[in-house]
Amino acid sequence: MESLTEVEFDEWCHETLVKEETYCDRNGFDVISRRQHSFGEHYTRFVEFRSEMELEIWEGNIYRDESVLGQHEELMPLVSKFYLSGSHHVLTPGIKEIPDDYVESGGQHYLLYLPNIDEIEQWSAGDRVKQIRIQFPLDWLRTYSKELDSLPITLRSLLDRPNPPRFHQSGGV
Protein backbone atom coordinates (compact mmCIF):
# COMPACT_ATOMS: atom_id res chain seq x y z
CA MET A 1 0.00 0.00 0.00
CA GLU A 2 1.41 3.38 -1.01
CA SER A 3 1.63 5.95 1.78
CA LEU A 4 0.40 9.51 1.46
CA THR A 5 2.07 12.30 3.43
CA GLU A 6 -0.14 14.07 5.99
CA VAL A 7 -0.42 17.05 3.62
CA GLU A 8 -1.41 14.83 0.66
CA PHE A 9 -3.91 12.96 2.83
CA ASP A 10 -5.49 16.21 4.08
CA GLU A 11 -5.70 17.55 0.51
CA TRP A 12 -7.29 14.31 -0.73
CA CYS A 13 -9.83 14.35 2.11
CA HIS A 14 -10.67 17.98 1.31
CA GLU A 15 -11.04 17.23 -2.42
CA THR A 16 -13.39 14.29 -1.74
CA LEU A 17 -15.35 16.04 1.02
CA VAL A 18 -19.03 15.14 0.89
CA LYS A 19 -20.26 16.77 4.08
CA GLU A 20 -18.79 18.95 6.82
CA GLU A 21 -20.21 20.58 9.94
CA THR A 22 -18.08 22.58 12.37
CA TYR A 23 -19.20 24.24 15.58
CA CYS A 24 -17.04 26.43 17.80
CA ASP A 25 -17.46 26.90 21.56
CA ARG A 26 -20.28 24.41 21.98
CA ASN A 27 -21.06 22.06 24.88
CA GLY A 28 -17.76 22.84 26.62
CA PHE A 29 -15.59 22.07 23.56
CA ASP A 30 -13.56 24.57 21.53
CA VAL A 31 -14.41 22.77 18.29
CA ILE A 32 -16.87 20.02 17.38
CA SER A 33 -16.77 18.73 13.82
CA ARG A 34 -18.30 16.06 11.61
CA ARG A 35 -16.70 15.25 8.27
CA GLN A 36 -17.44 12.74 5.56
CA HIS A 37 -15.10 12.12 2.62
CA SER A 38 -13.68 9.20 0.62
CA PHE A 39 -11.55 7.97 3.54
CA GLY A 40 -14.44 7.82 5.99
CA GLU A 41 -16.74 9.66 8.28
CA HIS A 42 -15.58 11.07 11.60
CA TYR A 43 -16.78 13.06 14.57
CA THR A 44 -14.27 15.07 16.63
CA ARG A 45 -14.60 17.00 19.88
CA PHE A 46 -11.58 19.11 20.81
CA VAL A 47 -10.50 21.32 23.73
CA GLU A 48 -7.23 23.19 24.12
CA PHE A 49 -6.74 23.97 27.81
CA ARG A 50 -3.52 25.90 27.18
CA SER A 51 -0.73 25.74 24.61
CA GLU A 52 -0.03 22.08 23.78
CA MET A 53 -2.39 20.82 26.50
CA GLU A 54 -5.26 19.25 24.58
CA LEU A 55 -8.12 16.80 24.80
CA GLU A 56 -9.52 15.20 21.65
CA ILE A 57 -12.33 12.67 21.42
CA TRP A 58 -12.43 11.06 17.97
CA GLU A 59 -14.88 8.59 16.45
CA GLY A 60 -14.60 7.39 12.89
CA ASN A 61 -15.92 4.89 10.38
CA ILE A 62 -13.14 3.95 7.96
CA TYR A 63 -14.33 3.42 4.36
CA ARG A 64 -11.08 2.35 2.73
CA ASP A 65 -7.59 1.14 3.55
CA GLU A 66 -5.16 4.00 3.87
CA SER A 67 -1.56 4.55 4.85
CA VAL A 68 -0.39 7.99 6.04
CA LEU A 69 3.21 9.09 6.63
CA GLY A 70 3.34 11.43 9.62
CA GLN A 71 6.17 13.40 11.15
CA HIS A 72 6.44 14.12 14.85
CA GLU A 73 8.09 17.39 15.76
CA GLU A 74 11.16 17.68 17.94
CA LEU A 75 9.13 19.32 20.74
CA MET A 76 6.46 16.62 20.81
CA PRO A 77 4.30 16.60 23.97
CA LEU A 78 3.60 13.59 26.17
CA VAL A 79 0.51 11.79 24.81
CA SER A 80 -1.97 9.45 26.45
CA LYS A 81 -4.42 7.59 24.18
CA PHE A 82 -7.38 5.47 25.19
CA TYR A 83 -8.66 3.22 22.41
CA LEU A 84 -12.29 2.41 23.12
CA SER A 85 -12.77 0.49 19.85
CA GLY A 86 -11.07 -0.18 16.55
CA SER A 87 -7.37 -0.19 15.85
CA HIS A 88 -4.63 1.00 13.56
CA HIS A 89 -1.24 -0.32 12.58
CA VAL A 90 1.89 1.82 13.09
CA LEU A 91 5.26 1.42 11.34
CA THR A 92 8.28 3.17 12.86
CA PRO A 93 11.32 1.57 11.21
CA GLY A 94 14.74 2.30 12.64
CA ILE A 95 13.66 3.88 15.95
CA LYS A 96 15.65 1.91 18.52
CA GLU A 97 13.46 2.72 21.54
CA ILE A 98 10.22 1.34 20.07
CA PRO A 99 9.17 -1.61 17.89
CA ASP A 100 9.36 -1.20 14.11
CA ASP A 101 5.79 -2.43 13.78
CA TYR A 102 2.94 -2.36 16.34
CA VAL A 103 -0.85 -2.07 16.62
CA GLU A 104 -2.84 0.26 18.84
CA SER A 105 -6.19 -1.41 19.50
CA GLY A 106 -9.53 -1.11 21.28
CA GLY A 107 -9.63 -1.83 24.99
CA GLN A 108 -6.05 -0.60 25.45
CA HIS A 109 -4.49 2.64 26.58
CA TYR A 110 -1.08 3.99 25.65
CA LEU A 111 1.39 6.50 27.00
CA LEU A 112 3.93 7.78 24.51
CA TYR A 113 6.65 10.30 23.99
CA LEU A 114 7.93 10.10 20.40
CA PRO A 115 9.60 13.36 19.35
CA ASN A 116 11.42 13.80 16.06
CA ILE A 117 10.32 10.63 14.26
CA ASP A 118 8.56 9.63 11.05
CA GLU A 119 5.83 7.01 11.30
CA ILE A 120 3.34 5.37 8.97
CA GLU A 121 -0.18 4.89 10.32
CA GLN A 122 -2.27 2.31 8.49
CA TRP A 123 -6.07 2.24 8.71
CA SER A 124 -8.33 -0.61 7.54
CA ALA A 125 -11.63 -0.34 5.67
CA GLY A 126 -14.67 -1.31 7.73
CA ASP A 127 -13.09 -0.43 11.06
CA ARG A 128 -14.93 1.76 13.56
CA VAL A 129 -12.48 3.66 15.74
CA LYS A 130 -13.23 5.48 19.00
CA GLN A 131 -10.37 7.04 20.92
CA ILE A 132 -9.60 9.70 23.50
CA ARG A 133 -6.26 11.50 23.25
CA ILE A 134 -4.82 13.76 25.95
CA GLN A 135 -1.54 15.57 25.43
CA PHE A 136 0.51 17.99 27.46
CA PRO A 137 4.01 19.45 27.35
CA LEU A 138 6.74 17.98 29.53
CA ASP A 139 7.34 21.41 31.08
CA TRP A 140 3.82 21.35 32.53
CA LEU A 141 4.46 17.95 34.08
CA ARG A 142 7.80 19.20 35.48
CA THR A 143 6.14 22.13 37.25
CA TYR A 144 3.22 20.04 38.46
CA SER A 145 5.29 17.14 39.82
CA LYS A 146 7.44 18.52 42.61
CA GLU A 147 8.35 15.09 43.96
CA LEU A 148 9.69 13.02 41.07
CA ASP A 149 10.09 9.95 43.31
CA SER A 150 6.32 9.52 43.39
CA LEU A 151 6.13 9.14 39.59
CA PRO A 152 6.61 5.89 37.64
CA ILE A 153 10.20 5.42 36.45
CA THR A 154 9.24 6.00 32.79
CA LEU A 155 7.90 9.46 33.61
CA ARG A 156 10.81 10.26 35.92
CA SER A 157 13.25 9.55 33.07
CA LEU A 158 11.40 12.09 30.92
CA LEU A 159 11.62 14.83 33.51
CA ASP A 160 15.12 14.49 34.88
CA ARG A 161 17.03 14.55 31.57
CA PRO A 162 17.65 17.37 29.10
CA ASN A 163 17.07 14.95 26.16
CA PRO A 164 14.48 12.46 27.43
CA PRO A 165 14.30 9.00 25.82
CA ARG A 166 11.47 8.11 23.45
CA PHE A 167 8.98 5.48 24.49
CA HIS A 168 5.64 3.93 23.57
CA GLN A 169 4.05 1.89 26.31
CA SER A 170 0.76 0.03 26.55
CA GLY A 171 -1.05 0.33 29.83
CA GLY A 172 -3.20 -2.69 29.12
CA VAL A 173 -6.92 -2.89 29.58
Side-chain angles (χ1 to χ4, degrees), residues 37-52:
H37 38 67
S38 291
F39 173 63
E41 180 178 11
H42 60 89
Y43 177 55
T44 305
R45 290 155 288 190
F46 176 83
V47 176
E48 183 174 35
F49 297 108
R50 56 174 270 201
S51 180
E52 292 185 68

Side-chain angles (χ1 to χ4, degrees), residues 79-81 97-99 102 104 108-114 152-155 157 166-172:
V79 176
S80 182
K81 283 192 214 177
E97 299 92 344
I98 56 175
Y102 60 90
E104 293 182 341
Q108 300 291 309
H109 65 275
Y110 304 90
L111 185 63
L112 53 116
Y113 178 69
L114 299 173
I153 194 158
T154 305
L155 291 179
S157 69
R166 296 180 187 118
F167 75 91
H168 182 282
Q169 175 176 319
S170 171

Side-chain angles (χ1 to χ4, degrees), residues 78-142:
L78 181 64
V79 176
S80 182
K81 283 192 214 177
F82 300 86
Y83 262 83
L84 306 178
S85 68
S87 66
H88 81 284
H89 193 180
V90 183
L91 304 172
T92 54
I95 308 298
K96 69 178 182 176
E97 299 92 344
I98 56 175
D100 288 350
D101 184 341
Y102 60 90
V103 175
E104 293 182 341
S105 58
Q108 300 291 309
H109 65 275
Y110 304 90
L111 185 63
L112 53 116
Y113 178 69
L114 299 173
N116 203 26
I117 68 164
D118 293 342
E119 69 178 8
I120 298 171
E121 293 184 309
Q122 297 179 327
W123 303 90
S124 299
D127 204 0
R128 178 154 174 77
V129 178
K130 290 183 181 182
Q131 68 170 292
I132 299 170
R133 181 185 55 81
I134 303 167
Q135 72 177 40
F136 45 89
L138 291 180
D139 287 343
W140 179 83
L141 191 58
R142 282 186 184 101

Side-chain angles (χ1 to χ4, degrees), residues 56-97:
E56 180 183 63
I57 302 170
W58 189 85
E59 298 178 46
N61 292 315
I62 311 302
Y63 294 165
R64 60 179 271 172
D65 292 348
E66 202 54 61
S67 182
V68 181
L69 171 63
Q71 297 176 317
H72 291 203
E73 296 179 16
E74 189 172 340
L75 298 175
M76 179 79 180
L78 181 64
V79 176
S80 182
K81 283 192 214 177
F82 300 86
Y83 262 83
L84 306 178
S85 68
S87 66
H88 81 284
H89 193 180
V90 183
L91 304 172
T92 54
I95 308 298
K96 69 178 182 176
E97 299 92 344

